[in-house]
mmCIF file of all heavy atoms in Angstrom:
data_model
loop_
_atom_site.group_PDB
_atom_site.id
_atom_site.type_symbol
_atom_site.label_atom_id
_atom_site.label_comp_id
_atom_site.label_asym_id
_atom_site.label_seq_id
_atom_site.Cartn_x
_atom_site.Cartn_y
_atom_site.Cartn_z
ATOM 1 N N ALA A 37 5.026 -6.383 2.756
ATOM 2 C CA ALA A 37 4.083 -5.475 2.097
ATOM 3 C C ALA A 37 2.700 -5.608 2.721
ATOM 4 O O ALA A 37 1.881 -4.687 2.637
ATOM 5 C CB ALA A 37 4.027 -5.765 0.599
ATOM 6 N N ASN A 100 -6.323 3.707 9.198
ATOM 7 C CA ASN A 100 -5.448 3.035 8.215
ATOM 8 C C ASN A 100 -5.501 3.818 6.896
ATOM 9 O O ASN A 100 -6.242 4.805 6.787
ATOM 10 C CB ASN A 100 -5.859 1.561 8.000
ATOM 11 C CG ASN A 100 -7.341 1.412 7.714
ATOM 12 O OD1 ASN A 100 -7.943 2.270 7.088
ATOM 13 N ND2 ASN A 100 -7.924 0.320 8.167
ATOM 14 N N ALA A 101 -4.763 3.341 5.918
ATOM 15 C CA ALA A 101 -4.759 4.047 4.633
ATOM 16 C C ALA A 101 -6.129 3.985 3.975
ATOM 17 O O ALA A 101 -6.559 4.938 3.306
ATOM 18 C CB ALA A 101 -3.711 3.431 3.706
ATOM 19 N N SER A 102 -6.824 2.872 4.154
ATOM 20 C CA SER A 102 -8.156 2.748 3.545
ATOM 21 C C SER A 102 -9.055 3.866 4.052
ATOM 22 O O SER A 102 -9.776 4.506 3.266
ATOM 23 C CB SER A 102 -8.788 1.393 3.891
ATOM 24 O OG SER A 102 -7.935 0.354 3.515
ATOM 25 N N HIS A 134 -4.466 -0.575 -5.262
ATOM 26 C CA HIS A 134 -5.005 -1.445 -4.209
ATOM 27 C C HIS A 134 -6.517 -1.187 -4.164
ATOM 28 O O HIS A 134 -6.973 -0.087 -4.456
ATOM 29 C CB HIS A 134 -4.353 -1.030 -2.890
ATOM 30 C CG HIS A 134 -4.632 -1.922 -1.727
ATOM 31 N ND1 HIS A 134 -5.807 -1.863 -1.017
ATOM 32 C CD2 HIS A 134 -3.893 -2.890 -1.140
ATOM 33 C CE1 HIS A 134 -5.761 -2.749 -0.033
ATOM 34 N NE2 HIS A 134 -4.611 -3.397 -0.086
ATOM 35 N N SER A 136 -8.274 -0.432 -1.899
ATOM 36 C CA SER A 136 -8.538 0.746 -1.053
ATOM 37 C C SER A 136 -8.514 2.048 -1.837
ATOM 38 O O SER A 136 -8.996 3.070 -1.345
ATOM 39 C CB SER A 136 -7.470 0.869 0.034
ATOM 40 O OG SER A 136 -7.494 -0.223 0.869
ATOM 41 N N VAL A 182 -1.292 5.267 -6.858
ATOM 42 C CA VAL A 182 -0.374 4.680 -5.901
ATOM 43 C C VAL A 182 1.055 5.093 -6.262
ATOM 44 O O VAL A 182 1.438 5.120 -7.433
ATOM 45 C CB VAL A 182 -0.561 3.145 -5.906
ATOM 46 C CG1 VAL A 182 -0.042 2.487 -7.164
ATOM 47 C CG2 VAL A 182 0.047 2.493 -4.681
ATOM 48 N N ILE A 184 3.936 3.530 -4.971
ATOM 49 C CA ILE A 184 4.609 2.248 -5.246
ATOM 50 C C ILE A 184 3.556 1.144 -5.120
ATOM 51 O O ILE A 184 2.896 1.023 -4.077
ATOM 52 C CB ILE A 184 5.768 2.000 -4.261
ATOM 53 C CG1 ILE A 184 6.837 3.084 -4.430
ATOM 54 C CG2 ILE A 184 6.370 0.613 -4.487
ATOM 55 C CD1 ILE A 184 8.048 2.937 -3.532
ATOM 56 N N ASN A 186 1.668 -2.247 -4.508
ATOM 57 C CA ASN A 186 1.880 -3.353 -3.559
ATOM 58 C C ASN A 186 1.960 -4.698 -4.265
ATOM 59 O O ASN A 186 2.439 -5.661 -3.687
ATOM 60 C CB ASN A 186 0.757 -3.398 -2.517
ATOM 61 C CG ASN A 186 -0.582 -3.737 -3.133
ATOM 62 O OD1 ASN A 186 -0.991 -3.114 -4.104
ATOM 63 N ND2 ASN A 186 -1.260 -4.725 -2.601
ATOM 64 N N ASP A 211 -1.420 7.548 -2.895
ATOM 65 C CA ASP A 211 -1.430 6.457 -1.925
ATOM 66 C C ASP A 211 0.020 6.030 -1.701
ATOM 67 O O ASP A 211 0.621 5.339 -2.522
ATOM 68 C CB ASP A 211 -2.277 5.300 -2.464
ATOM 69 C CG ASP A 211 -2.216 4.075 -1.553
ATOM 70 O OD1 ASP A 211 -1.558 4.153 -0.498
ATOM 71 O OD2 ASP A 211 -2.819 3.048 -1.913
ATOM 72 N N SER A 213 1.197 4.153 0.755
ATOM 73 C CA SER A 213 1.255 3.066 1.750
ATOM 74 C C SER A 213 2.497 2.200 1.613
ATOM 75 O O SER A 213 2.999 1.672 2.606
ATOM 76 C CB SER A 213 0.025 2.166 1.614
ATOM 77 O OG SER A 213 -1.137 2.905 1.796
ATOM 78 N N GLN A 214 2.961 1.997 0.369
ATOM 79 C CA GLN A 214 4.138 1.155 0.168
ATOM 80 C C GLN A 214 5.402 2.001 -0.026
ATOM 81 O O GLN A 214 6.457 1.463 -0.376
ATOM 82 C CB GLN A 214 3.947 0.229 -1.052
ATOM 83 C CG GLN A 214 2.813 -0.756 -0.904
ATOM 84 C CD GLN A 214 3.100 -1.862 0.121
ATOM 85 O OE1 GLN A 214 4.229 -2.045 0.565
ATOM 86 N NE2 GLN A 214 2.068 -2.584 0.502
ATOM 87 N N THR A 234 -0.274 4.143 5.897
ATOM 88 C CA THR A 234 -0.808 3.310 6.969
ATOM 89 C C THR A 234 0.336 2.924 7.901
ATOM 90 O O THR A 234 1.445 2.648 7.443
ATOM 91 C CB THR A 234 -1.504 2.094 6.308
ATOM 92 O OG1 THR A 234 -2.439 1.515 7.187
ATOM 93 C CG2 THR A 234 -0.543 1.057 5.791
ATOM 94 N N HIS A 236 0.872 0.359 10.107
ATOM 95 C CA HIS A 236 1.319 -1.008 10.429
ATOM 96 C C HIS A 236 2.335 -1.555 9.450
ATOM 97 O O HIS A 236 2.969 -2.568 9.714
ATOM 98 C CB HIS A 236 0.115 -1.952 10.524
ATOM 99 C CG HIS A 236 -0.613 -2.163 9.234
ATOM 100 N ND1 HIS A 236 -0.304 -3.190 8.389
ATOM 101 C CD2 HIS A 236 -1.618 -1.479 8.640
ATOM 102 C CE1 HIS A 236 -1.107 -3.140 7.335
ATOM 103 N NE2 HIS A 236 -1.913 -2.104 7.457
ATOM 104 N N LYS A 237 2.489 -0.903 8.296
ATOM 105 C CA LYS A 237 3.510 -1.369 7.348
ATOM 106 C C LYS A 237 4.861 -0.720 7.630
ATOM 107 O O LYS A 237 5.831 -0.983 6.937
ATOM 108 C CB LYS A 237 3.078 -1.039 5.911
ATOM 109 C CG LYS A 237 1.816 -1.780 5.471
ATOM 110 C CD LYS A 237 1.508 -1.500 4.024
ATOM 111 C CE LYS A 237 0.070 -1.807 3.663
ATOM 112 N NZ LYS A 237 -0.247 -3.226 3.636
HETATM 113 C C1 PLP B 1 -0.728 0.326 -1.836
HETATM 114 C C2 PLP B 1 -1.674 0.100 -0.698
HETATM 115 N N1 PLP B 1 -2.666 0.952 -0.492
HETATM 116 C C3 PLP B 1 -3.530 0.807 0.519
HETATM 117 C C4 PLP B 1 -3.417 -0.245 1.388
HETATM 118 C C5 PLP B 1 -4.407 -0.376 2.493
HETATM 119 O O1 PLP B 1 -3.805 -0.319 3.729
HETATM 120 P P1 PLP B 1 -4.707 -0.614 5.004
HETATM 121 O O2 PLP B 1 -5.221 -2.023 4.844
HETATM 122 O O3 PLP B 1 -3.790 -0.485 6.162
HETATM 123 O O4 PLP B 1 -5.810 0.369 4.998
HETATM 124 C C6 PLP B 1 -2.405 -1.183 1.206
HETATM 125 C C7 PLP B 1 -2.296 -2.364 2.074
HETATM 126 O O5 PLP B 1 -1.872 -3.434 1.654
HETATM 127 C C8 PLP B 1 -1.496 -0.998 0.130
HETATM 128 O O6 PLP B 1 -0.494 -1.855 -0.077
#
Side-chain angles (χ1 to χ4, degrees):
N100 50 34
S102 305
H134 188 281
S136 298
V182 71
I184 297 181
N186 66 309
D211 175 2
S213 301
Q214 297 289 347
T234 201
H236 66 92
K237 295 185 199 289

